[in-house]
């Protein structure tokens, strides 16, 4: 039996064009973005795996795990060059936290468009993975609608959801 609350939530989702693909508590997001900004120091890229769970088809971010905490050399050349052989460390962390990789995020010096390197090297090579890009080394507004949001479809194919704003990525309080 469907509850009234569930029915109202489904109706609200339908009226708003569905639930976003990714949600994050605003304080978790703001703290994580501040750390990305600090690590980038306006001179290099920085990034993190976003860990959490999936609730009613929506990825819910609960924790940032920074690339360079796993692979200290991943930014030696100023861009993301994460050693894929270390991905098992992230999966072990996920198991310990009772979470999974729900997305990843990294910063770019300019806009939030994907580079050729980003497209060729998804941080999680499974279809459905969400990759987010923050512009200007995360020194500017990094809220829904002002970040890049890309969904990996496999075989080198990506879908750009960046213009969908809060319909694809939303912050909660």
């Amino acid at each position: 039996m469907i509850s009234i609350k569930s029915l109202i939530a489904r109706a609200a989702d339908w009226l708003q064009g569905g639930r976003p693909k990714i949600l994050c508590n605003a304080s978790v997001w703001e703290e994580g973005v501040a750390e990305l900004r600090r690590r980038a120091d306006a001179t290099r890229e920085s990034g993190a795996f976003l860990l959490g769970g999936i609730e009613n088809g929506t990825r819910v971010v609960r924790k940032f795990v920074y690339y360079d905490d796993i692979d200290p050399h991943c930014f030696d050349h100023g861009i993301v060059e994460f050693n894929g052989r270390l991905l098992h460390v992230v999966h072990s962390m996920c198991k310990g936290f009772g979470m999974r990789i729900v997305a990843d995020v990294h910063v770019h010096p300019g806009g939030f468009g994907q580079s050729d390197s980003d497209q060729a090297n998804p941080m999680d090579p499974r279809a459905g993975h969400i990759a987010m890009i923050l512009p200007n080394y995360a020194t500017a507004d990094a809220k829904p609608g002002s970040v890049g949001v890309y969904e990996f479809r496999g075989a080198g194919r990506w879908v750009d959801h960046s213009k969908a704003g809060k319909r694809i990525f939303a912050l909660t309080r």
Side-chain angles (χ1 to χ4, degrees), residues 88-111:
H88 75 280
V89 173
V90 181
H91 289 293
S92 292
M93 293 174 79
C94 287
K95 188 174 181 179
F97 294 132
M99 297 181 196
R100 62 187 287 176
I101 297 172
V102 295
D104 76 87
V105 62
H106 74 277
V107 306
H108 273 187

Side-chain angles (χ1 to χ4, degrees), residues 12 14 17 20 33 38-39 42 45 50 69 73 75 78 84 89 118 143 167 170:
W14 178 78
V33 170
R38 185 191 71 74
R39 289 173 186 240
E45 292 189 9
L50 303 177
D69 286 346
H73 300 288
F75 298 115
V89 173
D118 295 335
K143 301 279 193 272
R167 289 179 291 133

Side-chain angles (χ1 to χ4, degrees), residues 4-80:
I4 296 294
K5 185 177 178 181
S6 175
L7 192 57
I8 291 170
R10 285 185 188 182
D13 288 347
W14 178 78
L15 289 170
Q16 294 175 351
R19 292 177 57 87
K21 283 190 179 282
I22 200 161
L23 283 173
C24 187
N25 178 279
S27 62
V28 169
W29 181 253
E30 290 159 6
E31 182 179 310
V33 170
E35 182 62 16
L36 290 171
R37 182 181 312 114
R38 185 191 71 74
R39 289 173 186 240
D41 194 29
T43 61
R44 67 175 195 153
E45 292 189 9
S46 66
F49 292 98
L50 303 177
L51 308 186
I54 297 181
E55 299 174 13
N56 298 319
T58 297
R59 298 157 188 265
V60 180
V61 177
R62 303 206 187 294
K63 183 172 187 60
F64 281 57
V65 173
Y66 302 94
Y67 299 159
D68 51 334
D69 286 346
I70 307 300
D71 178 0
H73 300 288
C74 70
F75 298 115
D76 284 357
H77 300 108
I79 62 168
V80 178

